[in-house]
Amino acid sequence: MDERDFMKRAISISREMMLGLKGGPFGAVVVKDGEIVAEGHNQVTTANDPTAHAEVVAIREACRVLGTFNLEGCEIYASCEPCPMCLSAIYWARLGRIYYGNSRLDAAGIGFDDEFLYVEVAKPIEKREIPTVRIMAEEALGVFEEWEAMPDKVRY
């Protein structure tokens, strides 16, 4: 299989699950060493989970299958350009490359407009739409200090 085959699969998943009323029109596959190790489709409305985007679902499954939280050496093929949440998950998982089909502008054209999120994340915290209040910083920092002192922690 090659890049086009992997993208065809991501697109096929998006169509199949959308037509089966199992989620929005988004699909993704995670590939390692030329093999699909995980697939995902949008499950936001079927799982009542706003984080169940195709990429996140595929990343979770790839981590389960491979027994790791680190997906270095893997690539992701998504039927649409990843939203800010999915892009963050891709970076946290350390995927090596992103391939996508539809652009974020294409998605906006059918009602999936993430531009607000791109703008919101770039704002200073005090200017964001959702009020964000820092409280109990000393107590929270104490946990970080304990983490830093732990000799057997698993860094990620």
Side-chain angles (χ1 to χ4, degrees):
M1 293 183 78
D2 66 13
E3 294 163 349
R4 293 183 58 80
D5 294 316
F6 298 133
M7 183 56 73
K8 283 179 189 175
R9 182 62 189 144
I11 293 168
S12 174
I13 292 166
S14 71
R15 178 179 289 113
E16 179 184 332
M17 296 302 152
M18 174 195 68
L19 293 175
L21 303 178
K22 295 182 179 176
F26 303 97
V29 298
V30 174
V31 174
K32 182 175 176 79
D33 300 327
E35 299 287 329
I36 294 175
V37 296
E39 299 181 344
H41 69 279
N42 180 282
Q43 299 175 34
V44 170
T45 58
T46 55
N48 293 321
D49 180 353
T51 69
H53 289 199
E55 299 91 334
V56 172
V57 171
I59 288 168
R60 288 174 181 160
E61 179 64 9
C63 290
R64 187 191 68 73
V65 167
L66 297 172
T68 182
F69 57 82
N70 184 335
L71 297 179
E72 284 183 67
C74 295
E75 301 172 328
I76 192 163
Y77 292 77
S79 64
C80 187
E81 179 180 356
C83 75
M85 177 186 69
C86 294
L87 185 60
S88 296
I90 289 165
Y91 273 92
W92 278 115
R94 295 178 179 83
L95 288 151
R97 185 167 296 205
I98 303 165
Y99 296 89
Y100 69 95
N102 292 313
S103 74
R104 70 191 208 200
L105 296 176
D106 297 328
I110 62 164
F112 295 94
D113 192 353
D114 299 328
E115 191 59 31
F116 168 77
L117 296 173
Y118 285 98
V119 171
E120 192 70 5
V121 168
K123 288 180 184 177
I125 202 165
E126 65 277 0
K127 300 215 184 234
R128 293 184 183 157
E129 292 293 318
I130 297 176
T132 306
V133 182
R134 185 176 186 189
I135 62 172
M136 297 185 66
E138 284 185 39
E139 292 82 352
L141 187 57
V143 177
F144 277 10
E145 290 167 353
E146 290 174 41
W147 164 260
E148 192 57 32
M150 285 179 59
D152 55 348
K153 64 183 163 276
V154 176
R155 291 204 178 266
Y156 57 96

